[in-house]
Amino acid sequence: MKLTILGGFLGSGKTTILNQYIQNITSNTGGDYLLSVIENDHGTTEVDALILENNDIKVWRISGGCVCCTVTGNLIEAIHSLYDEIKPDEILVELTGVAEPHQVLTNVMTYIKRPIDQVKVITVIDMSRFDVFSKLMPPIYKLQCLGTDYLILNKLDPKENVDKTIESVRQVFEYENPIRVWHLEDERWSF
């Protein structure tokens, strides 16, 4: 089983990117690839989970707290239950906007009792608010990028120089792993 952890600050575009990934996987595999999503909504509205269910994806909702700290046990239970019940090829964990993906990964690798073949941790960065967030909340912003396999830059102004923007992100986060720029029209999108 593959496990993909998707983080990013509030409003960064995680659900849009997740929906595009799900659409691409389901259309390219003819339904032979079984996906499940664990949706961690910090509040009680669970709007994102309702959107995902419209794609016939098994969604496990965790609300009332963040899976990196207050409801870690619920995340482990969800992974175990999904594995035991439907044996998905991949579980996608969409974190709440304040979660620290590296802490989620640490908790999962410490407590999980099911086989995981591959784990990816991805953080989405909202480039339309990058300058503001990186100045106002540098510790929180950096923690969301710590230990990720790669960053996805979303909402990038098409007039900006992509290479220069990537270099700026690398400097702010002291980040050396791959950085990708996301475009909605990219039909071959994958994690």
Side-chain angles (χ1 to χ4, degrees):
M1 174 178 72
K2 179 178 170 183
L3 180 68
T4 302
I5 299 170
L6 184 63
F9 208 69
L10 301 164
S12 63
K14 296 181 301 289
T15 301
T16 301
I17 290 171
L18 184 65
N19 280 331
Q20 183 68 38
Y21 175 72
I22 290 169
Q23 182 181 3
N24 290 343
I25 288 292
T26 54
S27 66
N28 292 332
T29 62
D32 292 337
Y33 192 82
L34 187 57
L35 286 169
S36 294
V37 174
I38 299 173
E39 176 64 41
N40 181 209
D41 282 317
H42 191 66
T44 56
T45 57
E46 300 171 346
V47 171
D48 294 343
L50 295 173
I51 294 169
L52 294 170
E53 285 176 343
N54 289 333
N55 288 308
D56 294 325
I57 303 294
K58 172 70 174 169
V59 178
W60 188 292
R61 296 179 184 119
I62 300 175
S63 59
C66 181
V67 296
C68 72
C69 49
T70 58
V71 291
T72 297
N74 296 6
L75 174 62
I76 303 304
E77 175 189 347
I79 293 171
H80 287 169
S81 294
L82 288 169
Y83 179 84
D84 294 343
E85 292 172 19
I86 63 174
K87 303 241 184 309
D89 296 297
E90 181 175 4
I91 295 178
L92 302 162
V93 180
E94 183 183 359
L95 303 177
T96 182
V98 295
E100 298 172 14
H102 75 281
Q103 186 60 52
V104 173
L105 176 63
T106 299
N107 293 339
V108 166
M109 299 315 288
T110 300
Y111 299 111
I112 200 74
K113 304 291 185 225
R114 302 299 183 273
I116 297 176
D117 302 319
Q118 179 185 19
V119 178
K120 285 186 185 174
V121 180
I122 302 161
T123 296
V124 179
I125 304 295
D126 175 357
M127 294 309 296
S128 70
R129 302 183 295 173
F130 175 73
D131 289 336
V132 173
F133 286 165
S134 62
K135 288 179 179 105
L136 292 178
M137 300 175 285
I140 295 170
Y141 223 33
K142 283 184 179 182
L143 282 173
Q144 287 201 334
C145 298
L146 182 67
T148 61
D149 293 302
Y150 62 88
L151 301 178
I152 296 175
L153 305 185
N154 191 23
K155 304 179 187 178
L156 184 63
D157 184 339
K159 298 174 198 154
E160 288 188 45
N161 180 311
V162 173
D163 293 333
K164 189 175 179 181
T165 300
I166 289 173
E167 186 54 37
S168 174
V169 170
R170 286 194 187 288
Q171 288 177 3
V172 167
F173 294 131
E174 300 169 7
Y175 189 81
E176 296 181 10
N177 287 345
I179 296 176
R180 297 176 65 182
V181 176
W182 187 73
H183 301 283
L184 183 61
E185 60 278 356
D186 187 354
E187 296 178 6
R188 296 161 285 124
W189 185 258
S190 66
F191 292 147

